[in-house]
Amino acid sequence: MMRKRFLPLILALILLCTVSPAALAAEKPVLLCDADGTGRALLTLEELRYEGVCGVQLELKLAGEYPSCAFTPSSRTAYAPDCSAQVFRGETRITVYLTDRTALDRGGWLELGDLDLGAPAEAGVWPDTARVTLLDERLRPLSGAAGTIPVSLSVDPDPPREPQLPAPTDWFVVPPFVDVKAGDWFYEAVGYAYGRGLMRGLAEGLFVPGAATDRAMIVTILHRLEGSPAALPAAFTDVAAGTYYAAPVAWASANGIVTGYEDGSFRPETPISREQLAAILYRYARYRKLDVSSQGDLGRFPDASAVSLYASEAMSWAVAAGLVNGMDGMLVPGGSASRAQVAAIFQRLCVNVLDAA
């Protein structure tokens, strides 16, 4: 009787012990490290067995000292703070973290972004394994999605050419920010917005391109674009005199460019949604007496029905004017607008709409 009870357990143990390490490893994602001799590498998670990954924490231990590393996410909407680099006894431990409001994974793979070590990589610098933690939409670890994973290294011996800088314009200047580099998709837009005096850094030497833009920032940019005109104070309960945005809000409110909420507030520090931004720019264009009759086809975006009624006409105009191009084929009307995206939108506004008028 005892033999019959233990027989299934013994068979299960035998089966487990006979599973090859390669088969077990196949259940884990693989970190693809596409590197070159300059110390840059594109990091991608492949063979994902999970869906709805909204956050990733990646830990790497490199051979050599690289205290000036930097990480740029591939997703335009993902938030990624500066990577953490701890140098100790000839090794560098790097932690990369990024998150987004929507899923980052794309059918079994997830492109994280570019890791720049800040110096040419020596032979043997990249590790054989890494540690990863995958997070859900609430930024909680997915069940079983944390642990050590293999690293697949691909090295291109020929370093890429230096990215070609955009042609100088009346407004473009080289961005003086350590987190805005030549080759970044937003490089020219930030240089334009900074050169025109529309946007500044959030800290010394930092533009913080992935940070969300709030309502006060948008109104301030428009106010600067108009030459900072004066206006009587606005009657919003949460816009105090002396704040950096008090005069911009007063001007925008007086000219019908912005409105407040039913409770009498303006909510200056609330992140602005993409449809709110389109509505404000639409009202600004009308304030400038520009032709806003052009209407784009919102039907080509699968989430067009998610656009609020009040913003439908404005969003359609923004699409027609080339201000809003969509994100991965979607409008994402309720999503926030990063500072990099706002710089690009205002560059298009100035070049395509204002200068062409």
Side-chain angles (χ1 to χ4, degrees):
M1 192 70 175
M2 293 293 291
R3 289 182 180 178
K4 292 182 179 180
R5 290 181 178 178
F6 281 110
L7 184 57
L9 177 59
I10 293 173
L11 291 175
L13 290 173
I14 293 173
L15 180 61
L16 179 61
C17 293
T18 56
V19 176
S20 67
L24 291 174
E27 296 300 320
K28 297 181 178 180
V30 175
L31 177 65
L32 179 60
C33 181
D34 189 4
D36 60 48
T38 68
R40 296 178 180 177
L42 174 63
L43 305 180
T44 305
L45 287 175
E46 295 189 336
E47 301 182 24
L48 282 176
R49 300 295 191 271
Y50 304 89
E51 296 181 354
V53 179
C54 293
V56 178
Q57 179 174 307
L58 177 69
E59 300 170 61
L60 296 167
K61 185 166 67 175
L62 309 183
E65 299 185 356
Y66 299 94
S68 302
C69 70
F71 176 75
T72 304
S74 294
S75 171
R76 297 182 178 184
T77 60
Y79 168 70
D82 290 340
C83 61
S84 169
Q86 297 180 340
V87 178
F88 183 71
R89 293 184 178 180
E91 290 185 341
T92 303
R93 295 186 178 183
I94 295 176
T95 301
V96 170
Y97 177 80
L98 74 159
T99 181
D100 204 337
R101 293 185 177 183
T102 57
L104 293 161
D105 53 291
R106 295 290 182 270
W109 62 276
L110 194 165
E111 188 174 294
L112 300 174
D114 291 298
L115 179 63
D116 186 352
L117 301 184
E122 301 292 337
V125 61
W126 302 104
D128 296 326
T129 60
R131 180 172 178 80
V132 68
T133 301
L134 305 180
L135 310 174
D136 63 14
E137 69 278 3
R138 297 185 180 181
L139 300 185
R140 299 174 304 187
L142 288 164
S143 177
T148 302
I149 62 172
V151 175
S152 176
L153 178 63
S154 173
V155 179
D156 184 357
D158 297 322
R161 297 179 180 179
E162 287 297 319
Q164 187 175 1
L165 300 181
T169 68
D170 292 339
W171 297 107
F172 175 80
V173 299
V174 175
F177 307 110
V178 297
D179 52 356
V180 178
K181 300 178 180 179
D184 291 335
W185 70 266
F186 48 81
Y187 179 81
E188 182 179 356
V190 172
Y192 182 92
Y194 180 80
R196 193 151 185 165
L198 304 181
M199 301 181 73
R200 304 165 186 166
L202 293 185
E204 184 66 30
L206 292 175
F207 185 77
V208 197
T213 313
D214 60 35
R215 289 165 55 81
M217 291 178 183
I218 293 298
V219 173
T220 300
I221 295 172
L222 284 174
H223 191 236
R224 291 169 181 164
L225 184 58
E226 282 297 295
S228 301
L232 294 176
F236 295 119
T237 58
D238 54 354
V239 178
T243 56
Y244 82 89
Y245 50 80
V249 171
W251 163 79
S253 176
N255 290 283
I257 299 172
V258 297
T259 57
Y261 292 85
E262 294 180 355
D263 60 359
S265 65
F266 181 72
R267 304 178 192 177
E269 297 181 357
T270 299
I272 196 164
S273 69
R274 289 165 57 82
E275 67 178 11
Q276 288 175 342
L277 176 57
I280 289 176
L281 296 181
Y282 179 72
R283 298 187 200 116
Y284 171 72
R286 291 196 305 182
Y287 158 76
R288 290 287 300 265
K289 295 181 171 53
L290 300 177
D291 181 10
V292 292
S293 60
S294 298
Q295 296 290 293
D297 180 17
L298 298 187
R300 63 189 177 93
F301 299 97
D303 59 344
S305 61
V307 178
S308 299
L309 182 60
Y310 82 89
S312 179
E313 185 175 355
M315 184 67 81
S316 181
W317 166 80
V319 169
L323 304 183
V324 176
N325 298 325
M327 296 165 50
D328 296 327
M330 308 286 280
L331 281 173
V332 197
S336 61
S338 71
R339 285 172 52 80
Q341 292 171 335
V342 167
I345 289 173
F346 269 90
Q347 182 187 27
R348 297 171 197 149
L349 175 70
C350 292
V351 175
N352 299 343
V353 179
L354 300 182
D355 294 346

